[in-house]
């Protein structure tokens, strides 16, 4: 019987979408309680801490674990990461290949994110000599990238994210934007 004292979790995934199919995805993963564990922003540039470097190195190593995964734009921010990942279709088996040979299916996006969060938390805890306190929030944001201009806009958003940290909704000390100029409008793909 479900515990009624806990809030009900609703899925934020795209209904009916098969996340094991080859595709391109934009993801954001935030730290537990949005604590700024990965560094700080100085003059519009991210200065990574030891934890931030561990997270970056873990991300870069993911294709070793998932060979059908291609990494695109990525940034570690003080309390979250933004990344674009692409899953590819496994090469077709040649005629006469053993049917019992292992298949190299692309992993489901959730599997990739879970592995990353787990490996990064282990590495951060190891490097900082800390207990296994939660590093990440339970869920993550994802967006299925379906158009080329969508991809270009997301890459720009990732690249420029440190320059907008002062107003970032993930920044616990963010200033409210009183006037939103045309250059600061939230892109359609992020709404």
């Amino acid at each position: 019987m479900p515990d009624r004292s806990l809030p009900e979790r609703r899925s934020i995934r795209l209904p009916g979408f098969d996340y094991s199919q080859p595709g391109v995805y934009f993801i954001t993963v935030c730290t537990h309680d949005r604590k700024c564990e990965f560094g700080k922003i100085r003059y519009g540039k991210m200065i990574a801490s030891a934890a931030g470097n561990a997270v970056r190195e873990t991300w870069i190593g993911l294709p070793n674990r998932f060979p059908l995964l291609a990494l695109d734009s990525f940034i570690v921010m003080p309390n979250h990461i933004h990344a674009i990942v692409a899953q590819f279709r496994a090469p077709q088996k040649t005629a006469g290949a053993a049917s019992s040979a292992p298949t190299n299916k692309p992993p489901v996006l959730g599997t990739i994110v879970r592995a990353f969060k787990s490996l990064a938390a282990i590495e951060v805890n190891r490097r900082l000599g800390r207990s296994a306190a939660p590093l990440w929030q339970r869920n993550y944001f994802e967006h299925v990238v379906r158009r080329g201009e969508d991809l270009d806009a997301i890459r720009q958003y990732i690249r420029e994210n440190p320059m907008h940290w002062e107003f970032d909704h993930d920044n616990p000390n963010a200033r409210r934007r009183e006037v939103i100029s045309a250059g600061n409008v939230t892109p359609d793909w992020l709404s």
Side-chain angles (χ1 to χ4, degrees):
M1 177 171 239
D3 184 351
R4 299 286 180 209
S5 66
L6 297 175
E8 199 170 313
R9 292 180 71 201
R10 70 175 180 84
S11 175
I12 58 172
R13 305 297 156 242
L14 187 61
F17 187 82
D18 183 356
Y19 287 92
S20 67
Q21 290 301 305
V24 179
Y25 306 96
F26 167 62
I27 63 168
T28 300
V29 185
C30 295
T31 58
H32 183 70
D33 292 333
R34 288 201 163 65
K35 289 181 187 169
C36 293
E37 304 224 18
F38 302 145
K40 55 189 163 200
I41 303 293
R42 291 251 188 209
Y43 307 109
K45 300 266 188 217
M46 175 64 186
I47 311 299
S49 65
N53 286 329
V55 167
R56 182 180 48 75
E57 290 165 19
T58 301
W59 182 260
I60 291 169
L62 279 179
N64 296 329
R65 186 177 191 95
F66 301 106
L68 297 176
L69 182 69
L71 305 181
D72 197 297
S73 295
F74 168 75
I75 192 161
V76 176
M77 294 293 288
N79 62 1
H80 64 281
I81 65 128
H82 291 301
I84 300 171
V85 296
Q87 296 167 282
F88 292 100
R89 194 173 305 282
Q92 297 296 318
K93 290 183 182 179
T94 57
S99 61
S100 62
T103 59
N104 206 4
K105 293 182 181 176
V108 176
L109 182 63
T111 302
I112 296 165
V113 175
R114 272 191 305 280
F116 163 70
K117 288 167 71 172
S118 175
L119 294 168
I122 289 166
E123 187 60 21
V124 166
N125 289 336
R126 185 188 69 75
R127 287 190 189 187
L128 300 182
R130 66 182 216 174
S131 68
L135 179 63
W136 302 106
Q137 69 178 15
R138 287 185 63 175
N139 217 333
Y140 62 95
F141 168 84
E142 54 77 4
H143 168 77
V144 179
V145 181
R146 293 180 237 173
R147 298 183 320 263
E149 61 270 13
D150 207 16
L151 183 58
D152 292 339
I154 295 168
R155 285 177 177 145
Q156 180 178 352
Y157 177 81
I158 291 171
R159 188 174 49 253
E160 295 177 357
N161 203 235
M163 293 180 275
H164 302 287
W165 177 245
E166 182 178 7
F167 302 105
D168 193 312
H169 70 273
D170 288 321
N171 179 349
N173 301 313
R175 293 184 0 195
R176 292 189 53 92
R177 234 180 262 238
E178 300 302 324
V179 178
I180 298 178
S181 68
N184 294 327
V185 173
T186 301
D188 292 339
W189 52 265
L190 194 55
S191 315

